[in-house]
């Protein structure tokens, strides 16, 4: 009888040991699954973080440094114009021909950029620039201006009118559609290079008067 009770006791403890072992195994499997799931989330989170870091987020200080560049020249036009005029008088005609030299610089002033001119859409940085313009209104080199031919008497008012004529001719020539287009293309290329050097990969450059 005692042997029978002892046998039942051993079987009971063996059964309890097997049950506990199963619980332990299940707990280990569950723990392993949780660890793998956590690692997977961590790796996924890191990959997303890396993707986000591939897009540049310029700080206000960086933007201020770009704007501090101020005037940025993208095209220089050197011009030489021969301007002549004639006055008919009672005692004969007066003639005057003068040569004017000018250097016209086309570009933008980054201090005139519109508010929020740098924006980011997905993985693309969009830079909206002010229109191309003439950077210096005093482009005629008066020190190089010379008379090519002069006959008769001429006043300072006459010379001023010739200067204004030369000014307008140079201005029209420099601000041609072809020159403005070339200056825009140079601006797009150089601004893209600047922003890419700061970490941007995809850059689009537009101008405020052509903004979609």
């Amino acid at each position: 009888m005692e042997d029978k009770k002892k046998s039942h006791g051993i079987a009971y403890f063996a059964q309890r040991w097997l049950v506990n072992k199963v619980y332990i195994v299940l707990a280990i499997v569950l723990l392993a699954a949780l660890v793998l799931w956590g690692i997977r989330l961590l790796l996924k989170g890191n990959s997303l973080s890396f993707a986000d870091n591939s897009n540049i987020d310029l700080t206000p200080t960086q933007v201020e440094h770009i704007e501090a560049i101020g005037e940025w020249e993208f095209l220089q036009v050197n011009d030489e114009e021969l301007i002549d005029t004639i006055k008919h008088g009672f005692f004969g005609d007066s003639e005057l021909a003068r040569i004017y030299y000018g250097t016209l610089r086309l570009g933008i002033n980054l201090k005139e950029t519109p508010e929020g001119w740098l924006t980011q859409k997905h993985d693309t940085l969009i830079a909206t620039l002010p229109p191309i313009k003439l950077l210096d209104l005093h482009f005629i080199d008066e020190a190089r201006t010379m008379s090519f031919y002069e006959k008769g008497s001429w006043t300072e008012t006459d010379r001023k009118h010739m200067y204004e004529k030369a000014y307008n001719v140079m201005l029209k020539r420099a601000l041609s559609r072809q020159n403005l287009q070339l200056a825009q293309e140079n601006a797009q290329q150089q601004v893209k290079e600047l922003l890419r050097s700061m970490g941007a990969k995809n850059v689009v450059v537009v101008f405020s008067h052509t903004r979609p």
Side-chain angles (χ1 to χ4, degrees):
M1 189 71 176
E2 291 181 359
D3 292 339
K4 190 175 182 180
K5 288 183 178 180
K6 187 179 296 184
S7 175
H8 282 298
I10 293 173
Y12 173 77
F13 284 112
Q15 184 179 8
R16 293 291 298 174
W17 181 82
L18 287 174
V19 171
N20 291 337
K21 190 171 184 179
V22 171
Y23 285 152
I24 293 172
V25 171
L26 289 175
I28 293 173
V29 171
L30 180 60
L31 180 62
L34 289 173
V35 170
L36 290 175
W37 180 71
I39 293 175
R40 184 177 180 182
L41 285 181
L42 182 61
L43 291 176
K44 184 178 180 181
N46 286 341
S47 64
L48 287 175
S49 177
F50 178 79
D52 288 340
N53 289 335
S54 67
N55 301 330
I56 183 172
D57 291 320
L58 295 179
T59 66
T61 301
Q62 288 175 305
V63 175
E64 289 177 1
H65 286 165
I66 297 175
E67 294 172 351
I69 295 175
E71 291 186 349
W72 194 342
E73 178 185 317
F74 298 112
L75 182 66
Q76 185 177 105
V77 180
N78 297 309
D79 198 1
E80 176 183 335
E81 297 291 342
L82 175 63
I83 305 297
D84 57 1
T85 187
I86 186 170
K87 288 193 302 184
H88 302 288
F90 182 79
F91 296 103
D93 296 338
S94 297
E95 298 178 43
L96 179 62
R98 309 195 81 191
I99 300 177
Y100 297 85
Y101 298 90
T103 301
L104 298 89
R105 302 183 301 114
L106 305 184
I108 62 173
N109 189 336
L110 285 169
K111 294 183 179 179
E112 298 175 354
T113 50
E115 185 177 356
W117 67 280
L118 276 177
T119 58
Q120 189 162 327
K121 186 175 182 180
H122 304 302
D123 62 344
T124 301
L125 188 65
I126 302 174
T128 303
L129 305 179
I132 296 291
K133 70 173 187 176
L134 188 67
L135 295 178
D136 186 4
L137 296 178
H138 306 287
F139 50 80
I140 292 182
D141 187 354
E142 296 188 58
R144 297 180 61 193
T145 301
M146 62 181 70
S147 293
F148 180 75
Y149 178 79
E150 186 170 352
K151 176 186 175 182
S153 61
W154 297 91
T155 65
E156 286 301 317
T157 301
D158 295 327
R159 288 179 168 81
K160 181 180 179 182
H161 289 161
M162 293 187 69
Y163 175 92
E164 292 173 350
K165 183 177 180 180
Y167 187 98
N168 291 329
V169 170
M170 289 185 182
L171 192 62
K172 184 178 180 180
R173 191 186 304 277
L175 296 180
S176 66
R177 179 176 299 181
Q178 181 180 2
N179 285 341
L180 290 173
Q181 181 64 32
L182 181 57
Q184 284 190 359
E185 292 173 359
N186 292 340
Q188 289 173 329
Q189 179 181 355
Q190 294 182 37
V191 172
K192 283 182 180 180
E193 290 176 355
L194 172 65
L195 295 175
R196 284 169 181 165
S197 70
M198 302 178 73
K201 291 185 178 180
N202 300 321
V203 181
V204 173
V205 177
V206 297
F207 296 87
S208 56
H209 62 294
T210 58
R211 187 173 187 176

